[in-house]
Amino acid sequence: MNHLDAILAQTRAEVAPLATPAALATLREQALAHPAPRFRFYERLAERRRAGRPLLIAEYKRRSPSNPAIGLAVGLAAQVELYAGADVAAISVLTNGPFFGGALEDLAAAHALIGYTGPPLLRKDFIISPLQLYQARLAGAEAVLLIAAALTGPELAGLLAETHALGMGALVEVHHPDELTQLAGLPVQVLGVNNRDLTDFSIRLCRTAWVAAQVRGGVTLIAESGIDSALTYRAATARAHGALIGTALMQQPGLLTDLQQPQSTLCFKACGARAPEHLAAKADLVGVNFSPRSRRRVDPARLVGADVPANAVAVLYRNTEAEVASVLGQFSFRWVQRYADEVTPEALAQHPQRVLLAIPAGMDPLATAERYAYHTDLFLLDGAVPGSGVAGTAVPEDFQYPFLLAGGVNETNLHRTLAHPYCLGVDIATGVETEGEFDPRQVARIRVALAALSLPTT
């Protein structure tokens, strides 16, 4: 039994005794008569889209099966007031008890704090019965989460129709393009793409872009799961209108302010760090190269005992499986860079780290991205001779996945990135060196030049 099956089995056991015909009839009558605004969730998201404002759905959650202590020390009242004060698009309240430590009472408590004048409240749970819709409406919710993977096509259609009959909105969630067939003909206005696979709990940020390529226009698209920084926010929302974020906001409240601002600065990966002090370079990502083919190859002994920061990337190319296992076992990298010409999607799936996948010149970028997207967080489009400092990266006009541009990028040609709407930033190696050595001063210069580059904002 996978994670989703276990959660659904528990949910059915809890709901079944309460969902008698008499109870359903009574609760439905009460929910229909409940004095609440109708469809404010949809209206608020549509208004913010028209105004170009961020669609950030902030979530209150105590724990999850993969993280047992997300927000156990964070009070609901303080967190909900923080979200409301930041004027987020909506507030999600996780009400599942056995697996997430939530309760329907949390939703009611949040409603008591902000009523129907603050951001709309969304009940996030594994909804399988109209009973849970009625409970949500009576507790103050103006929207609910409906998970396609948890429902059959007819079940999803019935619950969505009943949600709308109650005047509530729905965030309909998928995590794979195959699930879009369940939505055919349904009046889905807001579609969530969960970057987390609910069967094995793996997370990859490019899943949103992969699904987005097959979604009809007009639908508001929300990226879910795995977002914990400005970089991961941009990667997850490259093809989406906004994001639902829980864990990171519970643990990093300052991130709320950052993500509410327009994301107008290119991301920057500085590659070629070869000493512990280089890991502190002021870049979004710092590449540490372990490839035997690279003149920038680091001596692993130099890193023993060093604090590996969260933005450090282990660059692995033409390494043996034993070398890959040794590097990732010895050092606590949270990003790994692999190359599509030597690794399979199935191999990427085995990495607990975030995956930056380089597509070398000579491979079809779009076909390769489509093959690997489900197991990739961010792509890197490289030049003909990686690490040479020679320009020549070809980016197809129809490439619609978030990527970093590499291949001869330096301080003088950063404007190349502006030609590609899904280019999130740059990967620079030669351009951050002085006489062949990694130079933090050059990193700082590139950082200033990127900040000065005028980017279109959305």
Side-chain angles (χ1 to χ4, degrees):
M1 180 180 293
N2 62 43
H3 293 292
L4 180 60
D5 289 340
I7 293 171
L8 292 176
Q10 178 67 36
T11 303
R12 293 188 189 101
E14 291 181 349
V15 168
L18 304 176
T20 64
L24 288 174
T26 298
L27 283 174
R28 186 175 195 271
E29 183 177 354
Q30 293 173 351
L32 286 170
H34 188 65
R38 292 178 62 84
F39 304 119
R40 194 168 69 101
F41 175 73
Y42 290 151
E43 292 172 357
R44 184 172 171 91
L45 267 58
E47 289 172 359
R48 291 172 81 97
R49 275 189 66 181
R50 288 192 294 268
R53 300 185 62 190
L55 298 187
L56 180 57
I57 302 176
E59 182 166 276
Y60 180 79
K61 63 192 299 186
R62 290 188 176 87
R63 58 181 173 87
S64 74
S66 60
N67 190 335
I70 292 171
L72 296 180
V74 181
L76 181 142
Q79 197 72 4
V80 168
E81 288 173 353
L82 173 69
Y83 294 158
D87 192 33
V88 297
I91 297 174
S92 169
V93 180
L94 231 161
T95 60
N96 176 275
F99 294 89
F100 293 86
L104 192 63
E105 289 75 14
D106 291 338
L107 183 62
H111 176 65
L113 287 168
I114 63 174
Y116 292 117
T117 59
L121 294 174
L122 179 147
R123 180 184 187 181
K124 189 176 182 186
D125 210 322
F126 296 82
I127 291 179
I128 57 173
S129 166
L131 172 84
Q132 295 161 289
L133 302 180
Y134 308 146
Q135 291 173 332
R137 191 56 159 169
L138 293 171
E142 297 185 64
V144 294
L145 178 72
L146 298 178
I147 304 173
L151 303 164
T152 65
E155 288 171 340
L156 177 59
L159 287 170
L160 181 59
E162 188 69 343
T163 298
H164 288 166
L166 296 169
M168 292 194 296
L171 174 61
V172 178
E173 177 185 293
V174 299
H175 81 280
H176 193 286
D178 290 350
E179 295 171 350
L180 293 175
T181 58
Q182 291 179 248
L183 279 54
L186 298 184
V188 175
Q189 296 189 41
V190 183
L191 179 66
V193 181
N194 199 339
N195 294 309
R196 183 189 298 277
D197 186 322
L198 293 177
T199 63
D200 62 13
F201 277 20
S202 66
I203 297 176
R204 290 291 186 256
L205 298 176
C206 276
R207 290 172 183 171
T208 295
W210 193 42
V211 173
Q214 303 179 50
V215 174
R216 62 178 173 84
V219 175
T220 296
L221 201 62
I222 301 296
E224 306 173 38
S225 297
I227 302 169
D228 60 7
S229 66
L231 172 60
T232 53
Y233 176 83
R234 291 197 63 195
T237 60
R239 295 290 305 277
H241 302 103
L244 187 154
I245 307 176
T247 300
L249 295 182
M250 295 293 293
Q251 298 177 336
Q252 307 173 57
L255 186 61
L256 183 62
T257 301
D258 294 340
L259 299 186
Q260 285 282 75
Q261 305 302 316
Q263 303 297 304
S264 59
T265 301
L266 285 167
C267 299
F268 175 27
K269 174 174 175 274
C271 202
R274 277 165 277 179
E277 59 269 22
H278 294 165
L279 298 177
K282 301 301 182 182
D284 297 292
L285 295 172
V286 178
V288 184
N289 202 318
F290 293 89
S291 171
R293 299 286 186 90
S294 176
R295 67 176 178 81
R296 301 181 177 91
R297 184 180 189 181
V298 68
D299 178 359
R302 296 191 68 184
L303 299 181
V304 173
D307 181 23
V308 178
N311 66 334
V313 184
V315 180
L316 300 162
Y317 185 60
R318 301 306 185 197
N319 295 90
T320 66
E321 290 186 14
E323 288 171 338
V324 171
S326 175
V327 167
L328 299 182
Q330 186 176 9
F331 304 108
S332 56
F333 284 97
R334 276 168 272 187
W335 283 84
V336 61
Q337 179 174 319
R338 305 301 305 270
Y339 286 74
D341 61 345
E342 68 164 5
V343 68
T344 65
E346 293 73 23
L348 294 186
Q350 302 307 310
H351 284 301
Q353 297 85 4
R354 295 188 186 275
V355 172
L356 177 60
L357 184 69
I359 303 178
M363 299 187 74
D364 182 327
L366 186 56
T368 303
E370 290 175 347
R371 181 184 174 210
Y372 284 84
Y374 196 76
H375 301 294
T376 299
D377 289 283
L378 183 62
F379 288 99
L380 186 152
L381 299 189
D382 214 338
V385 185
S388 66
V390 178
T393 306
V395 182
E397 290 185 4
D398 57 351
F399 192 84
Q400 298 185 348
Y401 292 90
F403 70 95
L404 300 180
L405 183 66
V409 184
N410 57 52
E411 188 178 352
T412 69
N413 61 14
L414 296 174
H415 62 277
R416 291 170 53 199
T417 59
L418 301 181
H420 313 294
Y422 301 110
C423 180
L424 305 190
V426 295
D427 179 298
I428 301 178
T430 303
V432 295
E433 293 178 337
T434 299
E435 297 181 353
E437 294 295 327
F438 187 89
D439 187 347
R441 294 170 300 178
Q442 297 289 15
V443 173
R445 286 176 59 87
I446 295 289
R447 192 73 179 174
V448 171
L450 287 171
L453 196 64
S454 178
L455 295 181
T457 58
T458 58

